[in-house]
Amino acid sequence: DGGITQSPKYLFRKEGQNVTLSCEQNLNHDAMYWYRQDPGQGLRLIYYSQIVNDFQKGDIAEGYSVSREKKESFPLTVTSAQKNPTAFYLCASSPPRGGRASEQYFGPGTRLTVT
Amino acid sequence: GESVGLHLPTLSVQEGDNSIINCAYSNSASDYFIWYKQESGKGPQFIIDIRSNMDKRQGQRVTVLLNKTVKHLSLQIAATQPGDSAVYFCAENKGSNTGKLIFGQGTTLQVKP
């Protein structure tokens, strides 16, 4: 059963702690993305990666970091520098260019609460 | 600047009626426009997309219309069902090799039984 998995579904952390959110896909997609969603809002792009060992900042990268050591995995670290980390975090992936490159497949999300 | 917006934050319809969800965009260079459905607490699901060289595309119970003259995109859902209740987002892909999408704010569709 192919898809994107994110874990955990709910995550609680104390302020000042770094936390890493997991995203794994077995769709053989090259590109992966991280979005942040706040209540009643659309999705905002944090980071994206088009290929292994390469990634670019999105619109709201400050306070976040990523790595892309494997094609299947794109973990996101929310650092203590992120001023408002409490949010719903969504990971997505999309097929290689030349295919349906516009179609992003989303994971189920991780709801992070920082107190 | 770039923006993708929806006209109404909430739309309430009677079960069985048709729903029309609207979206305005400002970037004329967009290659694709996409509609996503997001149920509460879940990730968005792809519904349908349309290339910029088309003005209409139909799926199962859904139709997307693109009016490039007024930069307007709409999603029509026929015979709306309770399971259609969700937040609907439009998004645009600028056609760059990054595959980046710009999302609108979302419209909440409420289906009354």
Side-chain angles (χ1 to χ4, degrees):
Chain A
D1 189 22
I4 301 176
T5 57
Q6 290 184 244
S7 61
K9 189 170 178 62
Y10 299 97
L11 191 54
F12 298 88
R13 279 295 183 271
K14 295 288 188 185
E15 193 174 327
Q17 294 179 333
N18 290 355
V19 59
T20 297
L21 281 58
S22 166
C23 178
E24 304 280 330
Q25 54 99 359
N26 60 4
L27 300 167
N28 199 33
H29 288 172
D30 287 328
M32 296 187 74
Y33 310 81
W34 272 106
Y35 294 90
R36 171 187 172 128
Q37 187 176 31
D38 293 287
Q41 301 293 314
L43 279 65
R44 292 185 290 167
L45 183 64
I46 304 173
Y47 267 99
Y48 64 102
S49 168
Q50 294 177 268
I51 199 167
V52 173
N53 292 323
D54 186 50
F55 49 82
Q56 287 81 39
K57 293 181 178 180
D59 301 318
I60 55 165
E62 186 175 349
Y64 299 98
S65 65
V66 293
S67 63
R68 187 84 187 278
E69 297 176 3
K70 298 186 300 182
K71 187 175 186 177
E72 302 80 18
S73 179
F74 190 39
L76 173 74
T77 297
V78 184
T79 75
S80 56
Q82 168 50 233
K83 298 189 185 312
N84 296 297
T86 295
F88 190 47
Y89 290 88
L90 287 157
C91 179
S93 69
S94 64
R97 294 196 298 270
R100 294 183 62 82
S102 65
E103 187 171 340
Q104 291 185 14
Y105 296 80
F106 283 85
T110 292
R111 189 167 297 281
L112 173 65
T113 302
V114 177
T115 57
Chain B
E2 302 169 353
S3 67
V4 180
L6 286 159
H7 293 301
L8 291 174
T10 303
L11 176 66
S12 185
V13 300
Q14 204 69 40
E15 181 179 357
D17 288 352
N18 296 335
S19 302
I20 300 176
I21 301 171
N22 296 305
C23 182
Y25 65 94
S26 60
N27 188 349
S28 300
S30 294
D31 228 23
Y32 285 95
F33 298 88
I34 307 108
W35 282 100
Y36 282 91
K37 172 186 179 183
Q38 186 178 27
E39 297 175 338
S40 182
K42 298 183 179 179
Q45 289 177 285
F46 173 89
I47 301 173
I48 192 169
D49 65 358
I50 187 168
R51 288 178 179 264
S52 59
N53 61 356
M54 302 169 67
D55 52 21
K56 181 179 180 179
R57 189 165 186 223
Q58 288 186 292
Q60 188 176 13
R61 274 201 313 119
V62 295
T63 301
V64 57
L65 299 177
L66 177 63
N67 184 330
K68 293 180 285 295
T69 302
V70 295
K71 298 181 182 177
H72 184 266
L73 184 71
S74 69
L75 177 70
Q76 300 179 0
I77 304 173
T80 312
Q81 302 168 0
D84 294 327
S85 294
V87 180
Y88 290 81
F89 292 96
C90 62
E92 59 177 319
N93 177 318
K94 293 192 292 182
S96 66
N97 290 334
T98 66
K100 288 171 61 177
L101 293 177
I102 301 171
F103 284 82
Q105 296 291 312
T107 288
T108 299
L109 177 64
Q110 299 172 336
V111 182
K112 296 179 287 187

